[in-house]
Amino acid sequence: MGRLRRKRFHQGDTKIQKMFRTRRKTKDLDQINEDMKSENAEQLLNQELDHDLPGGGQNYCLHCARHFVDVRSLKEHFKGRQHKRRLKALKDEPYTQKEADAAAGMGSYHAPKKREVETQQVEQKEMDAED
């Protein structure tokens, strides 16, 4: 009755399970693929100052859809495991309806193409220091 008993309190309670499952929901890969298009990327990387977001919304990772407090933490994120895994997942082109039809037998199936995805370039934004 020790450890195992305490671990299974919410086993049949689907409301609590769903709450824990959706708490940290992030953007899906197809949504990030839309954000990676040039016109959307420019808009997301050059946002106006928003005090409700971390770092005023100025330090944004396009591939992970996350805001960071400063440039240093953004650069550290680029070296991390989560960012590298996300880049690897984004190398495949997104799944389309045409591909779904082909897999269901309404055409010939072609494997998804690979593409080159690189980490975004970060410009060091100089803050004007008042003396």
Side-chain angles (χ1 to χ4, degrees):
M1 291 252 315
R3 254 180 106 176
L4 286 177
R5 179 68 182 121
R6 284 187 283 149
K7 277 185 155 183
R8 299 183 180 173
F9 277 134
H10 303 300
Q11 184 176 9
D13 196 348
T14 57
K15 180 179 177 186
I16 293 177
Q17 288 175 348
K18 189 173 183 180
M19 178 184 69
F20 284 121
R21 193 171 48 235
T22 60
R23 178 177 291 167
R24 288 175 294 276
K25 181 74 174 146
T26 59
K27 282 187 176 181
D28 291 328
L29 294 178
D30 57 341
Q31 293 171 326
I32 292 175
N33 185 53
E34 284 293 319
D35 290 344
M36 287 173 54
K37 293 181 180 174
S38 61
E39 60 273 358
N40 296 339
E42 283 296 320
Q43 185 179 13
L44 286 171
L45 293 176
N46 300 320
Q47 296 179 16
E48 294 181 17
L49 190 64
D50 185 3
H51 295 289
D52 293 334
L53 297 172
Q58 302 301 305
N59 306 307
Y60 183 73
C61 177
L62 186 63
H63 305 104
C64 301
R66 289 184 59 190
H67 292 275
F68 292 91
V69 176
D70 56 359
V71 176
R72 182 173 163 260
S73 61
L74 179 63
K75 288 181 179 180
E76 287 295 319
H77 164 74
F78 289 157
K79 298 175 187 175
R81 181 185 302 159
Q82 289 180 339
H83 183 75
K84 290 177 183 178
R85 284 184 178 172
R86 183 57 66 102
L87 286 180
K88 188 175 181 180
L90 285 169
K91 284 185 180 181
D92 292 332
E93 286 192 354
Y95 195 69
T96 62
Q97 184 62 39
K98 182 179 177 183
E99 190 175 349
D101 292 342
M106 293 186 259
S108 58
Y109 176 73
H110 298 287
K113 298 176 184 174
K114 297 282 186 178
R115 60 183 176 179
E116 190 64 33
V117 179
E118 295 181 4
T119 302
Q120 68 199 36
Q121 298 296 324
V122 177
E123 299 114 13
Q124 184 71 21
K125 296 178 182 170
E126 297 294 327
M127 300 297 287
D128 294 332
E130 295 181 15
D131 293 335

